[in-house]
Amino acid sequence: MSSKPASPLRLLFLTEGVMKLLGGAVFIVSPQTPLAVAVAAPIPPAALLLTRLLGTQTLTLGISMLLASARTPKAVSSRRIVYWTVFARDATLVTVLALQLWLGDNVDALGFSPGGLRAWLTELMPFCIGHLWILSTKPHWF
């Protein structure tokens, strides 16, 4: 029996991996769905394209998380770098959204309303805070 307490990381990776996989697929296949909260109709083609591109990142990170959730030694040893990568992408996205809200010209940022940008920021913040908390206070989970 191991003296190391069980880590919840595998379940966290599985859960967030599935969420990112599904969310990324929606961003790619139906970008108007997430954009409905952020952009008034008609949605500019550039906003549709950027949302699809964001979906490719999200989907790819979901795949990475699902691969890292496996019980193999190689997958287990990759979890820290995968988690840092997911955190870095989400934290960068949060930073850009926040800067756009605070310093940008919010009259027409590709049709994104300030309320829509705040909604996306609000959606991403719990993930960023959770990732940072785990990375900084739970290194033994890895």
Side-chain angles (χ1 to χ4, degrees):
M1 183 189 282
S2 175
S3 62
K4 188 175 179 182
S7 168
L9 270 185
R10 182 170 187 275
L11 181 59
L12 290 173
F13 270 67
L14 282 169
T15 303
E16 189 173 348
V18 168
M19 290 171 62
K20 286 193 179 304
L21 200 64
L22 294 173
V26 168
F27 273 54
I28 293 167
V29 174
S30 181
Q32 55 276 31
T33 300
L35 285 172
V37 300
V39 179
I43 298 172
L48 292 169
L49 175 61
L50 288 174
T51 302
R52 284 189 173 111
L53 294 174
L54 180 62
T56 65
Q57 290 179 6
T58 305
L59 185 119
T60 303
L61 289 173
I63 292 169
S64 298
M65 293 191 89
L66 290 174
L67 290 171
S69 73
R71 288 189 169 112
T72 66
K74 197 168 221 163
V76 171
S77 69
S78 73
R79 288 180 184 165
R80 183 184 308 273
I81 191 68
V82 169
Y83 216 64
W84 271 109
T85 302
V86 170
F87 169 70
R89 193 293 297 257
D90 288 350
T92 303
L93 187 53
V94 162
T95 301
V96 169
L97 287 169
L99 288 172
Q100 178 64 35
L101 281 166
W102 292 327
L103 305 173
D105 176 12
N106 291 312
V107 175
D108 184 16
L110 287 178
F112 289 85
S113 69
L117 294 174
R118 275 192 295 279
W120 277 10
L121 187 63
T122 302
E123 181 182 322
L124 286 167
M125 284 304 296
F127 288 98
C128 284
I129 292 168
H131 292 152
L132 185 58
W133 178 75
I134 289 170
L135 288 164
S136 61
T137 66
K138 302 295 181 188
H140 57 281
W141 284 2
F142 295 93

